[in-house]
Amino acid sequence: MNSNSQSTPTLQLTTTTQFIKGVGPARAEQLRRLGIRTALDLLFFLPRDYEHPAPRMRIADLKENLPASFVGTITEVDQITTQAGKTILGVLVEDDSGAARMMFFNQPYRLDALPRGLRVLVSGKPRLSGLRMELVHPKVIPLEEDEQAGDQGILPIYPLTEGINQSQMRRAIATVVDELAGEIAEVIPETIRQQATLVSIDEAMRNIHRPHDQAALDAARRRLIFQELFILQLALALRRRKLTSDLRSPPLPVDAAIDARILKRFPFELTGDQKKAFAEVSADMARQFPMNRLVQGDVGSGKTVIAQYAMLLAVANKHQAVLMAPTEVLARQHFETFRKSLSRSRVRLGLLTGTLSTLDRREVLKAAADGEIDLLVGTQALLNDKVVFKQLGLVVIDEQHKFGVSQRANLRRGGLDPHYLVLSATPIPRTVAMAAFGDLDVTTLKEKPPGRSQVHTYLAKDDWAQRWWDFLGQRVREGRQAFVVAPRVDSSDQEDVSSAQQIFDELRTGPLKSFRIGLLHGRMTPEEKNDTMTRFAQGRLQVLVATTVIEVGIDVPNATVMTILGANRFGLAQLHQLRGRVWRGSHPGYVCVFTDNEGLPEDDERLKTFASTSDGFALAEADYRMRGPGDLLGVRQSGMPPLRVADPLRDTEILEAARDLAMEIVDNDPHLEDPSLALLKQRVLTRYGNSLDLGDVA
C-alpha cells in the first residue's frame, strides 16, 4: 500500500506527522526536534500563550499605548533608504474619522504588499508622533474592497523551532484538531465531570487550540489542568490507601516514662513546632500501619531532633531504626551527633557507608541482622540487598528530595513494614507538597530554636573583594571561623574540584595567607574529608574552602562567615541551604555572594531575592515561581513524571478540588473497580504505577 494513502482521508492519532496535510518529510523532521512525531503529539502540543484580539475602534478614538484595531484604506506610501542601507517604510491609513501612520523598519518587501488603495485591518499599539497616531510594525491583514473585517479570534502561540513559524504550526495543529479531537478517549466519567463542572475532552481539545472566546478558553484549560491533577491525586490517594490499609507495621507507642526519658537527651528548650511534631510522630508510630510523614522545615529549625525522638521511640519499643543520609559526610556527622548524645545510654549504634572495609562492613551487616545494632546510620549503601534487620521499626531519610520514590521504597523489605519518616530542609509551598508528596502527612517546622542569631546577607558590588576579605579576617581574628564556597563550574564534579583547588591556592597565598585554611571537596577520600571536618569543627582550621559538599547538615556553630563565589551558578534553595551553615550558633552570621562574568539578568533577580529575605518558605515560593513546576516535580526531585499543564502554586483551587474528589472516590472504591472508572484507572497506572509502586492496584 502506498504510504501517501495515509494522508487526510485516513488520518489517525498514530499517523506520523509527515503524512499530515501541509507537513511533509522536511517539516516532520523539524517537528521531531520539538518531540512531535505523530498526530497525537500535535494534538497535545499545547499553546504556551495566546494572542488576544485588540478592541476595534475608529482611528480618531485611538489612545496612546492602548492596543487597538481599525479598518482603513492606504492613501500614502513612502520608503527611504538610509546611507547605511537600511529601509524605513511609512504607510498612511485613513478611515472616515482620521488618519494614522504605520512604520516598518528594514522590511522592504512590504512596499509591494501595501499599495495605495488597499483596504486593511490593522492591529497594534499606537503612539503619538507629532499630531498623528503611529504604529510601529503593526499586524496588517489585507481586505477585499467589499469584505467585512470579521472579529479576530484568540490566536494560540506555540513553542517553535528553527524552520517553523506560528502560521505553519497553527495550520498543522488545526488539521488534526478538526479531524481527531473527537477521537481522544474520555477518561473522566460524565458523573464526575458534572460534579467538577468540566467540559468534555473533545470540547477542551478544540478550545485549547482555537478558543472562540475567553470563557471557552478558561473552561478548556480548567478541564486539562483538572485532569492532570486529578490523575496524580488518584495515584497518591491509592498509594496512601495502600500504606494505611494493606500494609502492617509494628505499633510503637509512647507513654509518659518513655517520653520523659527521651526528652532528657535534649539539653535545650524545644520550640512549639518541635513539640507538635513529637505529638504527631508518636501518634503515627502507635498505629498498626506505617507512619508515612514528611517533616519539612527551614534551615536551623531542628528537624534532626524530630528524627532522634522517633528513632529512640522505636528503640524503646525494642525495634531497630535506620537513618539514611545523602552523603557520607552528613551520615558521619549524624553518627557522631548520636554517639555524643547517647554516650551514657545502652543504645547501640552502627555506621554503614560505601567506603567501609570489607571486614567492617561484614561486621555491621551481621550486627544489624542479629539485632545487635539499635540505630544504624548510613548512606545509599543501606539500599543494598544484603542489608537485613532483625526487627526494623523505623526508617528515617534525611534530605528526601535527593532520593526517588523507588529508592525510598527499597528499605521496606521483609516481615512487617517499618514506619517511615522523611526530612526535608528545602521548604515546599503547601500546594506543591500536596502535588509532589500527597501520599505523605506533612509536618512543618517554622520556629527557630531560641538563642539562634540573625544572618546578614550582602550582594557584593564589583569593588568589594578586598574589603570583604578584610572583614572576614577581622571576624576570624575575633575567634570565629569562615566558609568559602567555590563556584560551580558545570555538572562535572571533577571541574568543581578544580575550581575549589584554585580558590584554595589563591586565598592561602593571597588575602587569607595569615590564617589556617583547609580544603574540602567530593573527590577526597572519606578519611581526608573526615579529618578536614574534624579539624575545622575543633577550630584547628579557621577557614574552610569547599564545594557544595557542605550544603546540607554541616554543623559548626562557631563558623559565622560565608563567602559564596560564582553565586549566579546556584539556585535559590541551594544558596539558602549554604547560608544555613552560618546560622547555627549564638553569634551573628554574615554571608556575601559574588557573581562571575557569566551572569544573566534573571540571576540578578534571584540573588536580590536571596539577599532580601531569610525566610526559607518565602524563598521556596520565589524559587518555584522562577523555575516553574517542572524542575521541582520532575524525575530528579520526586521520582515522578513532571506536570505538563498544571501549576500547583497557580492552580490551588483546582488542585484542592481534585484532591478532595480523588480521596472521596478511593474511599468508596479502594481499587477503582467501578466499570465507569476503567479508562481512568488505566491512565493512572500508566502514568504513575511504577513511580508510586501501585502494581497491586492493577
Side-chain angles (χ1 to χ4, degrees):
M1 181 177 180
N2 191 317
S3 59
N4 287 328
S5 65
Q6 287 188 20
S7 59
T8 313
T10 56
L11 192 61
Q12 299 176 358
L13 293 173
T14 55
T15 300
T16 55
T17 54
Q18 77 176 86
F19 300 117
I20 294 171
K21 182 180 178 181
V23 177
R27 193 158 293 152
E29 185 61 37
Q30 295 162 344
L31 289 172
R32 198 170 289 118
R33 293 202 295 265
L34 293 168
I36 301 171
R37 291 174 171 79
T38 66
L40 180 65
D41 295 335
L42 262 181
L43 200 56
F44 279 92
F45 191 71
L46 303 182
R48 62 173 175 81
D49 203 351
Y50 294 87
E51 181 182 323
H52 294 266
R56 187 77 54 80
M57 60 181 62
R58 301 186 311 157
I59 290 176
D61 297 329
L62 296 177
K63 305 295 183 185
E64 189 168 23
N65 294 321
L66 290 180
S69 64
F70 59 88
V71 174
T73 302
I74 296 175
T75 58
E76 293 182 21
V77 180
D78 293 302
Q79 179 169 288
I80 63 172
T81 303
T82 67
Q83 290 183 342
K86 299 182 183 300
T87 62
I88 302 174
L89 176 64
V91 180
L92 194 68
V93 182
E94 297 185 18
D95 67 6
D96 58 4
S97 71
R101 184 174 299 278
M102 301 187 294
M103 301 296 294
F104 301 94
F105 299 93
N106 298 314
Q107 296 184 359
Y109 62 88
R110 287 192 179 271
L111 181 61
D112 294 333
L114 298 173
R116 287 188 185 90
L118 180 67
R119 287 183 70 241
V120 289
L121 171 63
V122 181
S123 301
K125 185 181 289 187
R127 67 184 185 187
L128 192 61
S129 178
L131 298 177
R132 181 169 286 155
M133 285 296 183
E134 185 177 272
L135 299 91
V136 177
H137 291 190
K139 180 178 180 181
V140 182
I141 299 176
L143 301 173
E144 297 295 334
E145 186 173 340
D146 57 351
E147 180 182 355
Q148 295 297 312
D151 291 332
Q152 288 180 279
I154 300 172
L155 294 176
I157 300 175
Y158 296 98
L160 299 175
T161 187
E162 185 177 354
I164 299 181
N165 60 37
Q166 284 294 343
S167 296
Q168 293 163 342
M169 183 67 80
R170 286 168 182 161
R171 281 197 299 271
I173 291 178
T175 298
V176 298
V177 169
D178 286 343
E179 298 199 32
L180 297 176
E183 300 298 315
I184 300 296
E186 178 59 85
V187 300
I188 301 182
E190 185 176 356
T191 54
I192 295 178
R193 295 203 308 273
Q194 291 176 351
Q195 187 174 350
T197 61
L198 302 175
V199 298
S200 69
I201 191 63
D202 180 7
E203 184 177 342
M205 293 310 301
R206 295 182 190 279
N207 283 321
I208 201 70
H209 289 292
R210 292 191 295 180
H212 50 81
D213 57 29
Q214 187 62 46
L217 174 58
D218 290 343
R221 292 178 68 174
R222 177 181 171 81
R223 163 60 199 255
L224 296 179
I225 290 168
F226 184 94
Q227 178 166 321
E228 184 169 47
L229 292 173
F230 185 49
I231 287 171
L232 170 60
Q233 290 303 316
L234 276 172
L236 292 170
L238 288 169
R239 177 171 170 81
R240 192 183 185 93
R241 179 85 181 190
K242 173 182 176 180
L243 294 172
T244 56
S245 300
D246 300 348
L247 302 180
R248 288 290 175 264
S249 293
L252 306 175
V254 66
D255 58 28
I258 292 175
D259 183 64
R261 198 161 71 239
I262 296 175
L263 293 181
K264 284 182 181 178
R265 297 286 168 190
F266 306 130
F268 44 77
E269 183 181 347
L270 298 170
T271 67
D273 282 351
Q274 287 174 324
K275 293 175 183 176
K276 180 182 176 185
F278 286 167
E280 291 173 341
V281 167
S282 58
D284 287 352
M285 293 178 65
R287 303 178 307 195
Q288 292 184 335
F289 54 86
M291 172 174 69
N292 211 40
R293 184 167 292 277
L294 166 69
V295 175
Q296 64 159 344
D298 209 346
V299 291
S301 58
K303 295 176 295 298
T304 306
V305 173
I306 312 305
Q308 188 169 344
Y309 182 94
M311 295 174 81
L312 291 177
L313 177 55
V315 174
N317 281 276
K318 310 218 180 300
H319 280 72
Q320 295 164 291
V322 59
L323 185 150
M324 186 167 73
T327 67
E328 182 157 342
V329 169
L330 186 53
R332 287 183 178 274
Q333 181 169 291
H334 278 310
F335 178 76
E336 288 301 319
T337 299
F338 291 152
R339 191 174 62 82
K340 291 175 185 175
S341 66
L342 300 173
S343 60
R344 296 186 179 180
S345 76
R346 290 176 292 175
V347 178
R348 299 163 296 181
L349 296 174
L351 177 67
L352 183 65
T353 66
T355 59
L356 288 182
S357 69
T358 302
L359 179 60
D360 289 343
R361 179 179 179 80
R362 189 179 299 130
E363 289 179 354
V364 171
L365 291 175
K366 184 177 186 305
D370 292 343
E372 295 172 2
I373 289 178
D374 299 310
L375 300 185
L376 181 60
V377 180
T379 59
Q380 293 190 54
L382 291 165
L383 299 175
N384 190 296
D385 289 339
K386 294 180 180 178
V387 181
V388 179
F389 298 90
K390 183 176 182 180
Q391 203 163 24
L392 182 60
L394 173 69
V395 173
V396 179
I397 297 190
D398 196 9
E399 284 311 296
Q400 73 79 32
H401 68 280
K402 296 184 183 294
F403 300 103
V405 174
S406 58
Q407 286 178 298
R408 299 185 328 220
N410 255 7
L411 285 168
R412 300 178 178 276
R413 287 197 302 267
L416 292 174
D417 285 274
H419 295 282
Y420 179 31
L421 181 69
V422 292
L423 311 178
S424 175
T426 304
I428 304 166
R430 184 182 67 87
T431 53
V432 179
M434 284 169 55
F437 311 112
D439 58 323
L440 304 176
D441 295 305
V442 179
T443 292
T444 300
L445 304 180
K446 289 193 173 182
E447 294 179 77
K448 297 284 195 307
R452 293 283 175 92
S453 63
Q454 286 298 309
V455 175
H456 308 279
T457 305
Y458 308 99
L459 182 54
K461 295 182 170 47
D462 292 340
D463 58 349
W464 274 31
Q466 188 55 53
R467 291 169 55 199
W468 176 255
W469 295 127
D470 290 344
F471 175 82
L472 183 151
Q474 182 182 343
R475 299 281 82 78
V476 173
R477 278 187 284 272
E478 291 174 356
R480 307 283 78 76
Q481 292 165 273
F483 290 105
V484 177
V485 181
R488 293 295 308 268
V489 178
D490 55 24
S491 59
S492 163
D493 182 48
Q494 182 66 52
E495 293 295 329
D496 290 346
V497 168
S498 300
S499 168
Q501 182 69 54
Q502 180 182 346
I503 299 297
F504 173 71
D505 292 338
E506 291 174 358
L507 292 178
R508 68 173 177 173
T509 58
L512 303 183
K513 62 183 178 182
S514 59
F515 302 111
R516 301 184 300 276
I517 303 181
L519 176 64
L520 184 69
H521 58 69
R523 293 277 175 146
M524 296 166 66
T525 66
E527 293 75 19
E528 290 171 332
K529 291 179 190 174
N530 292 329
D531 177 65
T532 299
M533 279 308 306
T534 298
R535 287 190 293 142
F536 188 64
Q538 293 176 349
R540 289 185 284 148
L541 291 175
Q542 297 167 297
V543 180
L544 183 62
V545 177
T547 60
T548 54
V549 70
I550 66 161
E551 175 188 349
V552 175
I554 302 301
D555 190 2
V556 181
N558 192 50
T560 62
V561 186
M562 174 172 284
T563 310
I564 304 176
L565 303 173
N568 50 293
R569 297 176 181 270
F570 299 97
L572 262 180
Q574 194 171 38
L575 287 169
H576 189 56
Q577 286 297 310
L578 290 168
R579 176 165 56 186
R581 299 317 103 214
V582 294
W583 211 331
R584 321 296 291 188
S586 57
H587 298 285
Y590 302 92
V591 177
C592 190
V593 295
F594 290 83
T595 59
D596 57 28
N597 295 327
E598 298 181 23
L600 300 171
E602 53 265 35
D603 296 332
D604 292 337
E605 179 187 357
R606 186 173 69 255
L607 294 176
K608 286 176 182 176
T609 301
F610 171 64
S612 65
T613 181
S614 57
D615 183 332
F617 287 89
L619 287 173
E621 189 161 318
D623 194 27
Y624 183 84
R625 290 191 186 279
M626 291 177 190
R627 292 188 297 137
D631 196 25
L632 183 60
L633 299 183
V635 174
R636 182 179 65 81
Q637 290 274 355
S638 69
M640 292 193 291
L643 297 175
R644 294 181 58 190
V645 295
D647 178 341
L649 209 57
R650 178 196 66 205
D651 303 321
T652 302
E653 175 265 328
I654 299 177
L655 171 60
E656 292 182 341
R659 185 171 191 255
D660 291 345
L661 186 54
M663 293 177 70
E664 178 185 332
I665 289 172
V666 172
D667 282 344
N668 294 327
D669 187 356
H671 292 90
L672 304 185
E673 293 173 330
D674 187 321
S676 70
L677 301 176
L679 286 177
L680 188 59
K681 177 178 178 178
Q682 181 183 11
R683 189 66 56 87
V684 169
L685 293 175
T686 299
R687 186 155 175 80
Y688 295 109
N690 289 334
S691 55
L692 288 177
D693 189 26
L694 298 176
D696 60 321
V697 179

